[in-house]
């Protein structure tokens, strides 16, 4: 089991471009079939937002890393998107994309796919522009702190999204529960939480960095959400096919959870 100090040390060597290469270029970024992991992740989010039930002023994305794909369906339903990450190198990568700077990662295949599955015939450039307009803040965060942003979010977020972060920064399941409770402090009562994460993963690579992950089963996710005070609305799982087991991690599958913070405090 890794210690918080080992985790922090490991993240000093995290290479955002290697991480993007490992997870967001082929073979994992294969849009040719719904059987593949990226279309599955994007469909979970598109279907959840399609109902229109989840909307409001602010959505906070916890541990964004260097990625924005997770925000593509959310951005139609919130005036402001707040991205966050622990590492400056990831916040800088997000900023490059947000400002449309040369050298930023090309998310257009993801944006085109989301526009296709949302089925409104929206030009992908419109969605790209809307996300850039609404992605107003890119903040430092540490989910091990009871106040992950260092100060309360005022007003609290109407919704929270987090993709592949909490299990990758928690040394064990108890720490995962604590991190969930901490990020729950950023969410208003009644607010919705959407989580994507890894099942059965014990490590992943990001260039020179080899980071430990607490291996989770679906039941651990269910129990952690309950222990952190969330009411579970939906939990789906995806099994990683052999073709996508590329050695960049040992992930067995992916979970998608939709939960809600109760109205009564
Ligand atoms: N204390 C902290 N608080 C908040 N964030 C923190 C903290 N420490 C580090 N961070 C921040 O959290 C990190 C988030 S990236 C974590 C990667 N998770 C594992 C990776 C992800 C992945 C992606 C896609 C697929 N797939 O199949 O499609 C599979 C997998 C499985 N492997 C990183 O941005 C770091 O900068």
């Amino acid at each position: 089991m890794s210690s918080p100090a080992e985790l922090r040390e490991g993240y000093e060597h995290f290479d955002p471009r290697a991480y993007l290469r490992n997870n967001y270029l082929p073979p994992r970024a294969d849009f040719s079939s719904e059987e593949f992991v990226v279309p599955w992740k994007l469909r979970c989010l598109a279907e959840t937002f399609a109902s229109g039930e989840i909307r409001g002023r602010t959505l906070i994305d916890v541990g964004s890393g260097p990625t924005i794909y997770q925000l593509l369906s959310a951005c139609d339903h919130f005036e402001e998107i707040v991205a966050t990450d622990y590492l400056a190198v990831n916040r800088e990568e997000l900023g490059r994309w947000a400002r449309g700077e040369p050298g930023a990662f090309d998310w257009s295949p993801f944006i085109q796919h989301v526009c296709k599955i949302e089925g409104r015939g929206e030009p992908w450039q419109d969605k790209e522009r809307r996300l850039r307009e609404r992605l107003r803040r890119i903040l430092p965060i540490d989910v091990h702190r009871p106040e992950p942003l260092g100060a309360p979010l005022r007003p609290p977020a109407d919704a929270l999204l987090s993709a592949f972060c909490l299990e990758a920064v928690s040394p064990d399941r108890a720490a995962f529960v604590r991190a969930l409770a901490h990020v729950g402090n950023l969410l208003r009562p009644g607010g919705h939480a959407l989580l994507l994460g890894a099942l059965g993963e014990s490590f992943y690579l990001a260039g020179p960095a080899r980071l430990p992950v607490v291996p989770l089963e679906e039941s651990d996710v269910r129990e952690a959400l309950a222990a952190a005070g969330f009411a579970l609305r939906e939990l789906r799982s995806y099994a990683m096919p052999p073709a996508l087991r590329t050695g960049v991690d040992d992930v067995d599958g992916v979970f998608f959870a939709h939960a809600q913070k109760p109205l009564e405090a």
Side-chain angles (χ1 to χ4, degrees):
M1 184 170 70
S2 53
S3 72
E6 283 166 337
L7 269 169
R8 269 193 300 279
E9 194 265 333
Y11 275 103
E12 281 160 22
H13 306 294
F14 181 99
D15 173 357
R17 301 305 293 203
Y19 176 72
L20 289 164
R21 203 167 40 249
N22 293 347
N23 292 294
Y24 298 104
L25 289 177
R28 283 188 172 178
D30 181 333
F31 299 88
S32 64
S33 156
E34 290 293 315
E35 304 302 307
F36 291 123
V37 64
V38 166
W40 184 86
K41 298 194 288 185
L42 296 175
R43 177 165 296 283
C44 287
L45 292 165
E47 287 178 350
T48 302
F49 282 108
S51 71
E53 179 191 2
I54 304 178
R55 65 187 182 284
R57 213 191 72 71
T58 306
L59 175 140
I60 185 165
D61 183 32
V62 171
S64 308
T67 71
I68 60 95
Y69 73 92
Q70 68 273 19
L71 304 172
L72 289 167
S73 287
C75 74
D76 301 329
H77 303 275
F78 293 87
E79 294 163 36
E80 180 188 18
I81 304 278
V82 179
T84 66
D85 200 77
Y86 180 76
L87 293 177
V89 287
N90 285 332
R91 298 194 298 270
E92 286 152 15
E93 192 70 41
L94 290 173
R96 269 194 288 282
W97 181 84
R99 294 186 297 272
E101 287 175 5
F105 189 77
D106 177 15
W107 290 105
S108 59
F110 294 74
I111 307 171
Q112 289 156 14
H113 186 80
V114 171
C115 288
K116 187 178 94 176
I117 62 176
E118 287 182 343
R120 297 195 296 266
E122 178 184 31
W124 68 269
Q125 296 89 341
D126 290 3
K127 183 174 281 286
E128 179 180 62
R129 186 179 318 108
R130 184 177 313 108
L131 179 51
R132 283 182 167 145
E133 282 164 1
R134 295 181 177 186
L135 177 51
R136 303 263 176 71
R137 287 185 279 173
I138 302 174
L139 304 178
I141 193 166
D142 181 349
V143 298
H144 299 311
R145 298 167 54 173
E147 285 294 359
L149 298 175
L153 200 56
R154 295 220 189 291
D158 297 296
L160 175 154
L161 202 159
S162 189
F164 296 99
C165 173
L166 303 185
E167 70 278 4
V169 303
S170 299
D172 53 39
R173 285 200 293 270
F176 179 74
V177 173
R178 286 195 300 276
L180 259 179
H182 295 162
V183 301
N185 294 334
L186 301 169
L187 187 58
R188 69 165 172 77
H192 294 264
L194 303 178
L195 300 176
L196 279 165
L199 293 172
E201 182 177 44
S202 70
F203 82 92
Y204 76 100
L205 304 177
R210 184 187 192 284
L211 292 310
V213 182
V214 57
L216 299 175
E217 306 289 329
E218 217 187 75
S219 55
D220 299 323
V221 177
R222 210 182 285 278
E223 288 159 22
L225 284 163
F230 288 94
L232 184 63
R233 293 280 300 271
E234 182 189 19
L235 183 56
R236 304 187 203 178
S237 297
Y238 169 87
M240 193 66 77
L244 298 187
R245 292 174 187 254
T246 56
V248 297
D249 51 45
D250 60 349
V251 64
D252 285 337
V254 177
F255 70 85
F256 170 73
H258 171 194
Q260 217 168 345
K261 185 170 177 178
L263 273 169
E264 72 284 349

